[in-house]
Amino acid sequence: MAAVWPGLIRVRGSKGSTKGRVQPRPACYSCGDVDPTITDASVVLGFIPPWPIADGGLSVSAELAAKAMEGSASRLSISRQEVARRNSDPRSPAG
């Protein structure tokens, strides 16, 4: 999951519990999670297309992925696309 610290966006590891689960689920999967993940960033940037995957058993929502980026974007006064870019770029100081 992504987290905002002063001027930075960092991706948290998945070792901690998230709502009683070990692994956070991307918001784009419509599973109820709202915290942004690398998968959500990939959807916002267009690397993962917003259509059913896994033989139709899982839908990808570009709207939910973008909404997950909104909190970080507003706290940092940058666009959702910039939040996604910073989350997905390992060379970025925020990634």
Side-chain angles (χ1 to χ4, degrees), residues 2-84:
V4 176
W5 286 293
L8 298 174
I9 303 165
R10 291 277 184 213
V11 177
R12 296 182 201 166
S14 58
K15 291 183 180 181
S17 179
T18 302
K19 297 180 187 171
R21 293 185 318 278
V22 174
Q23 296 289 334
R25 293 181 291 191
C28 66
Y29 290 165
S30 306
C31 296
D33 286 0
V34 296
D35 294 319
T37 64
I38 293 294
T39 302
D40 294 311
S42 295
V43 172
V44 168
L45 294 172
F47 299 135
I48 297 175
W51 57 55
I53 58 175
D55 293 328
L58 188 61
S59 292
V60 176
S61 169
E63 181 180 331
L64 290 175
K67 187 175 179 181
M69 298 290 154
E70 188 60 41
S72 298
S74 65
R75 283 192 293 279
L76 294 173
S77 298
I78 59 176
S79 70
R80 292 179 292 204
Q81 288 76 17
E82 181 63 13
V83 170

